[in-house]
Amino acid sequence: MFEPSTLKDIAKALGLSTSTVSRALRDTHEISPETKKIVLEYAEKINYRPNPIALSLKERRSKSIGVIVSEVANHYFSQAINGIESIAYSRGYHVIITQTHESYEREKANIQHLASRSVDGLLVSLSAETSDTSYLQSLHKRGLPMVFFDRVADDIETHKIIANNEKGAFEATEFLIKKGCKRIAHLTSSSHLSISIERLEGYKQALEKYGLPFKQDYVKYCPHGGMFYEETETAVKELMALQEKPDAIFIAGDRLSIGCLVVLKNLRINIPEDINVTGFSNSDVLDLFNPPLTSVRQPAFEMGQIATEKLIKLIESKYPVYEFEKEVLETSLQVRDDL
Amino acid sequence: MFEPSTLKDIAKALGLSTSTVSRALRDTHEISPETKKIVLEYAEKINYRPNPIALSLKERRSKSIGVIVSEVANHYFSQAINGIESIAYSRGYHVIITQTHESYEREKANIQHLASRSVDGLLVSLSAETSDTSYLQSLHKRGLPMVFFDRVADDIETHKIIANNEKGAFEATEFLIKKGCKRIAHLTSSSHLSISIERLEGYKQALEKYGLPFKQDYVKYCPHGGMFYEETETAVKELMALQEKPDAIFIAGDRLSIGCLVVLKNLRINIPEDINVTGFSNSDVLDLFNPPLTSVRQPAFEMGQIATEKLIKLIESKYPVYEFEKEVLETSLQVRDDL
DNA sequence: AAGCTAGCCGGGAACGATTGCATAGATTTT
DNA sequence: AAAATCTATGCAATCGTTCCCGGCTAGCTT
């Protein structure tokens, strides 16, 4: 079995002490140039690599950051992860990705596990089920650096990176209004998620600006963000069973948008004849869809990058940080309209 | 800062030695029931968790496995990852996911990093660029357990989990032939990948069975598996510029299939009027596509599960394993045909 | 009553690396 | 010439855990 070489091996082979070898490799001025040369050459020869586990134990840090998302199969998150990796790797950090599948239990288990595994910090996007963040609170209070992105916890004081959900939702709703829709429904994820609240607000503002009434009946929540087909189907069916059937749906959420299109197709509800649709999505194949989907796109890659930069800054800060920022990035409305 | 409790803390608080505490927690028979009870209760009270880093150092294992895929944004891989996680977590293993983005350099860097970080084993799907696997060879010889899935290295003796690529490719090609296509092109990933070779073989067999000639001109390789739009576009343009223009394309690869559809749309080549298409894909939204794509679907989730089970068996085996299996799972052809 | 065993527990080394302190010899300062 | 400084190296503690080894106290046997 696979026995990597250690400082001790080098020391024994060269007749030196481990401390001398360690210092020689770290290029301290205390070691004579000749000794350094001998050590470096031998280390090179046997391909010595310091044991990161021993280092973690000693230094109480692991040069790795944990990422918590609901699913990597979500376009928004996979793009954000690419952004996270691009920064992390350039700064010498490992990235450990975990998925919650929108479950509070899995989120908690994953995060506890990451924390005990001594990640140096956390990049968190909450699961749809999560409303109690007290376990995160306690980790945060104990000094574990964390940065939220996309789905943030309002009661935890740290950096937060989000998209301009209100404006994105406003534009998507406005688009439907300008197409002549009068009864616009809103299909969204679980009600306590920050993104749901903000997108609902944008939706309301658009209605108000154009003098359309807001109706609670038109807002349908999917507590698991469309993880289950039935959840989405039920919501759509309920909307379509209303007395005043909606003539449009604005959907908040990547998975939900795609899921809703599938449901509509299966229910043989045609777009745009029977209903109009816009939604949040970062899919890069929306152009292939029929019916087309006008979508709000978030700068996922950049959000991942910024979140990682801020997290690393927190981790490497010598003094505790008490000033936190909430960075808001602009979304873009991508109009797709078959004429 | 965040100081988790240790064995020493418990020992000091209870007036015992660390060894006694350690044994009490691990429920050794040497410790009296009363002492055990006291220790367990106190440990529970202060929420003691053994430090996994210290354990890793001592036990020379980390209870974590490394996964190497080209991209998590690929439907096949994200499903396989879900399968991997489902098994790994139930067996108490961590999963560390890394992406190669089809680059040999990134693959090598990631794997070296994982190995030095003491993952207990590796689940590998090679990048499109990789043809030299000697660095993997050497890790394997040094005893690092690894299992390949999907894109395997033929010259490394270990477990391999693949789909029946030949049969899948055969069926997809046969489907085109039965639709009446005579000049079927084949768009595939880089030529040295195992999946490319097998899918090409299935394609050839279908042609042969139905008495169609095989033409090298009809086979186009994308060395980066369609990572870059231009690569795919060039290949499609070359095919369409042939004197005997193909009347169908069979595409090997998830990303490539989607990419090719985008290219065809942009080039205003219509399906099925101008050309017919089938491809490998695990996307779950193909039903929303227009034009429709008849696709070969791989049992990605199961492949991930099986690979992980086999890897854990290798890791936990007390004796070196010399008998390796190649498990082949069946694909399914999902016909989508607008009449 | 002396010896034996079993039960229970503590001491200390080990895993691999870093680092403050000690030390020996060489060199410079006063 | 004695003292101070500097150079190059080694010793040992540390991080948190496990485990080998040995010690002590009962209780039991003969």
Side-chain angles (χ1 to χ4, degrees):
Chain A
M1 176 63 183
F2 178 54
E3 290 293 343
S5 45
T6 71
L7 277 188
K8 213 188 279 178
D9 299 337
I10 302 182
K12 204 176 289 173
L14 264 41
L16 293 167
S17 75
T18 56
S19 25
T20 305
V21 175
S22 170
R23 275 184 276 248
L25 290 171
R26 328 201 86 240
D27 204 25
T28 327
H29 62 90
E30 293 186 311
I31 303 294
S32 71
E34 306 91 66
T35 314
K36 267 186 200 167
K37 188 153 170 281
I38 298 173
V39 172
L40 283 173
E41 275 171 4
Y42 187 76
E44 174 74 20
K45 190 182 134 214
I46 65 168
N47 193 30
Y48 168 78
R49 295 271 173 277
N51 180 327
I53 306 226
L55 278 178
S56 292
L57 183 59
K58 186 108 208 349
E59 318 247 310
R60 294 148 159 282
R61 72 199 168 91
S62 57
K63 274 274 184 180
S64 63
I65 62 189
V67 178
I68 298 94
V69 297
S70 58
E71 285 207 299
V72 296
N74 179 307
H75 304 102
Y76 169 78
F77 287 122
S78 59
Q79 289 162 26
I81 287 171
N82 289 345
I84 290 170
E85 282 196 332
S86 73
I87 300 295
Y89 276 86
S90 75
R91 305 284 294 271
Y93 282 81
H94 260 267
V95 176
I96 303 180
I97 301 161
T98 63
Q99 307 186 75
T100 66
H101 299 280
E102 307 289 13
S103 146
Y104 171 69
E105 283 310 320
R106 291 193 70 163
E107 175 176 293
K108 197 168 161 184
N110 286 341
I111 291 184
Q112 306 269 22
H113 203 158
L114 286 174
S116 83
R117 188 78 209 165
S118 293
V119 291
D120 298 339
L122 248 33
L123 290 172
V124 186
S125 189
L126 295 173
S127 91
E129 260 185 29
T130 304
S131 56
D132 174 17
T133 56
S134 55
Y135 72 98
L136 265 170
Q137 276 279 19
S138 82
L139 285 173
H140 183 241
K141 277 194 189 134
R142 285 198 279 162
L144 183 65
M146 54 182 73
V147 170
F148 287 93
F149 68 104
D150 194 45
R151 301 152 166 217
V152 307
D154 278 323
D155 49 352
I156 298 183
E157 284 274 326
T158 183
H159 295 311
K160 288 159 193 169
I161 322 295
I162 57 173
N164 194 338
N165 288 303
E166 248 177 73
K167 183 147 158 270
F170 180 91
E171 288 175 358
T173 312
E174 185 179 46
F175 172 81
L176 292 170
I177 297 174
K178 287 195 171 163
K179 278 196 80 161
C181 303
K182 301 280 182 213
R183 300 180 306 281
I184 302 172
H186 179 38
L187 183 62
T188 187
S189 190
S190 84
S191 61
H192 42 258
L193 277 182
S194 59
I195 51 173
S196 300
I197 296 167
E198 291 162 15
R199 290 171 192 176
L200 174 64
E201 188 53 32
Y203 160 77
K204 280 184 180 172
Q205 282 176 11
L207 292 184
E208 194 182 338
K209 175 168 175 192
Y210 291 93
L212 293 174
F214 169 75
K215 290 194 190 174
Q216 194 59 54
D217 284 355
Y218 278 177
V219 179
K220 288 289 172 205
Y221 292 99
C222 293
H224 299 93
M227 273 277 296
F228 311 114
Y229 178 80
E230 285 71 25
E231 191 179 67
T232 316
E233 193 186 56
T234 306
V236 171
K237 279 185 176 167
E238 283 175 10
L239 282 178
M240 301 313 280
L242 288 175
Q243 234 173 350
E244 282 202 283
K245 224 164 68 175
D247 57 3
I249 313 180
F250 157 56
I251 312 159
D254 204 317
R255 182 169 197 115
L256 206 52
S257 297
I258 310 286
C260 183
L261 290 182
V262 174
V263 168
L264 289 173
K265 179 159 194 132
N266 289 345
L267 296 179
R268 307 204 185 290
I269 300 169
N270 294 317
I271 302 172
E273 296 81 14
D274 301 331
I275 204 154
N276 263 292
V277 172
T278 62
F280 270 71
S281 175
N282 269 51
S283 168
D284 40 11
V285 292
L286 287 178
D287 289 320
L288 293 174
F289 280 24
N290 186 33
L293 178 69
T294 289
S295 66
V296 182
R297 191 182 178 89
Q298 304 183 69
F301 189 86
E302 290 77 12
M303 289 173 73
Q305 288 191 312
I306 295 173
T308 312
E309 270 166 4
K310 287 196 187 288
L311 180 64
I312 293 179
K313 202 174 274 177
L314 278 185
I315 291 171
E316 297 183 347
S317 152
K318 295 217 174 76
Y319 308 101
V321 178
Y322 298 111
E323 303 253 319
F324 298 108
E325 301 149 22
K326 185 175 204 167
E327 193 147 339
V328 181
L329 278 75
E330 290 309 317
T331 60
S332 61
L333 186 72
Q334 308 204 305
V335 176
R336 289 185 192 83
D337 226 350
D338 279 0
L339 299 184
Chain B
M1 174 69 182
F2 180 54
E3 290 293 342
S5 44
T6 71
L7 279 188
K8 215 187 278 177
D9 299 337
I10 302 182
K12 206 176 288 173
L14 263 42
L16 293 168
S17 75
T18 56
S19 16
T20 305
V21 176
S22 170
R23 274 183 281 247
L25 291 171
R26 330 200 84 241
D27 205 24
T28 326
H29 64 269
E30 290 187 314
I31 304 294
S32 72
E34 306 90 68
T35 313
K36 270 186 200 169
K37 187 152 170 283
I38 298 173
V39 172
L40 283 172
E41 274 171 5
Y42 187 75
E44 174 73 20
K45 190 183 134 213
I46 65 167
N47 194 29
Y48 168 78
R49 295 273 173 274
N51 180 327
I53 306 227
L55 277 179
S56 293
L57 182 60
K58 190 107 218 326
E59 319 245 307
R60 294 146 160 280
R61 73 200 166 91
S62 56
K63 275 276 186 178
S64 63
I65 61 188
V67 178
I68 297 95
V69 298
S70 57
E71 284 208 298
V72 296
N74 177 307
H75 304 103
Y76 170 79
F77 287 122
S78 60
Q79 289 162 25
I81 286 171
N82 288 346
I84 290 169
E85 282 195 332
S86 73
I87 300 294
Y89 276 87
S90 75
R91 304 286 295 272
Y93 282 81
H94 259 267
V95 176
I96 302 179
I97 300 162
T98 63
Q99 307 185 75
T100 66
H101 299 280
E102 307 288 13
S103 146
Y104 171 70
E105 283 311 320
R106 291 192 70 162
E107 175 176 296
K108 197 168 160 184
N110 285 342
I111 291 183
Q112 307 269 23
H113 203 157
L114 285 174
S116 85
R117 187 78 209 164
S118 293
V119 291
D120 297 340
L122 248 33
L123 290 173
V124 186
S125 189
L126 295 173
S127 91
E129 260 185 30
T130 304
S131 55
D132 174 18
T133 56
S134 55
Y135 73 99
L136 265 171
Q137 275 279 18
S138 82
L139 284 173
H140 184 240
K141 278 195 187 131
R142 285 198 280 163
L144 182 64
M146 53 182 73
V147 170
F148 287 94
F149 68 104
D150 194 45
R151 303 150 166 218
V152 307
D154 279 322
D155 49 352
I156 298 183
E157 285 272 328
T158 184
H159 295 310
K160 288 158 193 170
I161 322 294
I162 56 173
N164 194 337
N165 287 304
E166 249 177 72
K167 182 147 159 272
F170 179 91
E171 287 175 358
T173 312
E174 186 180 44
F175 172 80
L176 292 170
I177 296 174
K178 288 196 171 162
K179 278 197 81 162
C181 303
K182 301 282 182 210
R183 299 180 306 282
I184 301 171
H186 179 38
L187 183 63
T188 186
S189 190
S190 84
S191 61
H192 42 259
L193 277 182
S194 59
I195 50 173
S196 300
I197 296 168
E198 291 161 16
R199 290 171 192 177
L200 174 64
E201 188 54 31
Y203 161 76
K204 281 184 180 173
Q205 282 175 12
L207 293 184
E208 194 182 338
K209 175 167 177 193
Y210 291 93
L212 293 175
F214 169 74
K215 289 195 191 175
Q216 193 61 53
D217 284 354
Y218 277 178
V219 180
K220 288 288 171 206
Y221 292 99
C222 292
H224 300 93
M227 273 276 297
F228 311 115
Y229 178 81
E230 286 71 25
E231 191 179 67
T232 316
E233 194 186 56
T234 306
V236 171
K237 279 185 175 167
E238 283 175 10
L239 282 178
M240 301 313 279
L242 288 175
Q243 237 174 348
E244 282 203 284
K245 224 163 69 174
D247 58 3
I249 312 181
F250 158 56
I251 312 160
D254 204 317
R255 182 168 197 115
L256 205 53
S257 296
I258 309 288
C260 183
L261 289 182
V262 175
V263 167
L264 290 172
K265 181 159 193 132
N266 289 345
L267 296 179
R268 308 204 185 289
I269 300 169
N270 294 318
I271 302 171
E273 297 80 15
D274 302 331
I275 203 155
N276 263 291
V277 172
T278 62
F280 270 71
S281 176
N282 269 53
S283 169
D284 39 12
V285 291
L286 287 179
D287 288 320
L288 294 175
F289 279 24
N290 187 32
L293 177 70
T294 289
S295 66
V296 182
R297 191 181 177 90
Q298 304 182 68
F301 189 86
E302 290 77 12
M303 289 173 73
Q305 287 191 311
I306 296 173
T308 310
E309 271 166 3
K310 288 197 188 286
L311 179 65
I312 293 179
K313 202 174 273 177
L314 278 185
I315 291 171
E316 297 183 347
S317 153
K318 295 219 174 75
Y319 309 100
V321 178
Y322 298 111
E323 303 252 319
F324 297 108
E325 301 150 22
K326 185 175 206 168
E327 194 146 339
V328 181
L329 277 76
E330 291 308 319
T331 60
S332 61
L333 186 72
Q334 307 203 306
V335 176
R336 288 184 192 83
D337 225 349
D338 277 0
L339 296 186

